[in-house]
Amino acid sequence: MRPHAGPAEAEVVTVAGVGSLVSEASARESFDFSNFRVGEVRGWRRSFCQSNWVNVASGGVSLESNEVAALAMVPAADYVSHVALLDVAPSELPGFYEREAGYRILWVSFSVKGQDGSVIEEGQALMCAACDDDAEADRLWAPDGEMARRCEDQSYVREWMSRALRPMWPAPQADMPLRPCDCAGTAQSVEARLSPPISLEELPRRLVPGLPLYPAPGYLRDCAQAHEAAGLLQHLLDSTCLSDRRTTLTDYLAANPGLDEYIRVRVPSS
């Protein structure tokens, strides 16, 4: 695992937002920050590769087709990904770690460019990356693990991990079908087959065996609208891959026009 090291005695720590953290409003639900801007990280790209129980509890998923995935960053040589950058006081970092339970959080280099393409800022940022497997996630987020030690509320982390869908980090599945189900349909038909929010007691424990992992439609819509507000929607679609680490969101949505329509429908912000 890459060493977890970063700026010592920093007045603020920069966090790289790649999924829901691209939404300023969503980020402020967990911690305070300043200086929201867009930057770049090299050698990483987004992938819908984490099965996420929070998506299931919140609704907007299809359990029958494993459409429950959230985003994480995965290694991609020489790839440049645009991310949100947020400056966080060290006292606020426990809220960030608690929000991102289950991920491998590491330091990456970032840059910010001016309108002429020149680099106007460089530094190190904390970013959520995919774990290699569930064993790594369990080790990092155990009570004495590297990630959990950075949280003030260990009880929350233990509860979060105990509710995790398994496998939380399934291995990429080759020859992944472009359509997760038989319904291409319209935005309305996509919404009709999605699950409503459910209680924690009703949460499933496992993915459907043998099926690939697909993006959770409700979470995908939230991410798309957050990236649109940040001017990053087309980048999200063209650069993000599915859990196979190859198929782009652009190709996935082209094969699922109803889902493409669904994620572009504006929903009121809370």
Side-chain angles (χ1 to χ4, degrees), residues 66-112:
N66 283 348
E67 291 174 83
V68 300
L71 282 170
M73 294 295 262
V74 298
D78 298 325
Y79 210 91
V80 176
S81 287
H82 302 291
V83 300
L85 297 170
L86 309 82
D87 289 342
V88 181
S91 61
E92 293 288 323
L93 283 178
F96 164 69
Y97 277 92
E98 288 166 16
R99 176 190 175 108
E100 306 300 350
Y103 287 91
R104 180 162 58 104
I105 301 172
L106 41 72
W107 291 101
V108 295
S109 298
F110 75 84
S111 63
V112 178

Side-chain angles (χ1 to χ4, degrees), residues 14 35 37 85 87 110-114 118-123:
T14 301
N35 194 22
R37 70 265 196 215
L85 297 170
D87 289 342
F110 75 84
S111 63
V112 178
K113 293 182 178 178
S118 63
V119 175
I120 60 176
E121 182 187 359
E122 292 180 300

Side-chain angles (χ1 to χ4, degrees), residues 14-180:
T14 301
V15 167
V18 301
S20 57
L21 282 182
V22 175
S23 164
E24 295 187 59
S26 178
R28 290 196 191 279
E29 293 176 1
S30 302
F31 53 89
D32 196 16
F33 59 87
S34 61
N35 194 22
F36 183 94
R37 70 265 196 215
V38 173
E40 298 179 353
V41 296
R42 183 177 295 274
W44 298 88
R45 70 184 300 191
R46 294 167 175 85
S47 174
F48 277 92
C49 58
Q50 186 204 51
S51 64
N52 191 292
W53 70 262
V54 176
N55 287 340
V56 178
S58 301
V61 305
S62 177
L63 292 167
E64 294 78 9
S65 50
N66 283 348
E67 291 174 83
V68 300
L71 282 170
M73 294 295 262
V74 298
D78 298 325
Y79 210 91
V80 176
S81 287
H82 302 291
V83 300
L85 297 170
L86 309 82
D87 289 342
V88 181
S91 61
E92 293 288 323
L93 283 178
F96 164 69
Y97 277 92
E98 288 166 16
R99 176 190 175 108
E100 306 300 350
Y103 287 91
R104 180 162 58 104
I105 301 172
L106 41 72
W107 291 101
V108 295
S109 298
F110 75 84
S111 63
V112 178
K113 293 182 178 178
Q115 292 184 346
D116 62 356
S118 63
V119 175
I120 60 176
E121 182 187 359
E122 292 180 300
Q124 296 282 305
L126 289 171
M127 187 185 73
C128 292
C131 292
D132 290 334
D133 51 32
D134 285 19
E136 181 182 30
D138 290 335
R139 183 171 63 253
L140 290 173
W141 290 95
D144 60 346
E146 181 183 356
M147 301 293 102
R149 291 198 305 268
R150 300 174 187 276
C151 301
E152 291 179 348
D153 188 355
Q154 288 263 337
S155 62
Y156 172 79
V157 171
R158 287 196 297 271
E159 180 180 3
W160 198 100
M161 290 295 290
S162 72
R163 299 188 189 282
L165 271 169
R166 300 293 179 157
M168 187 183 350
W169 297 102
Q173 185 166 330
D175 301 321
M176 181 176 178
L178 271 176
R179 290 174 58 182

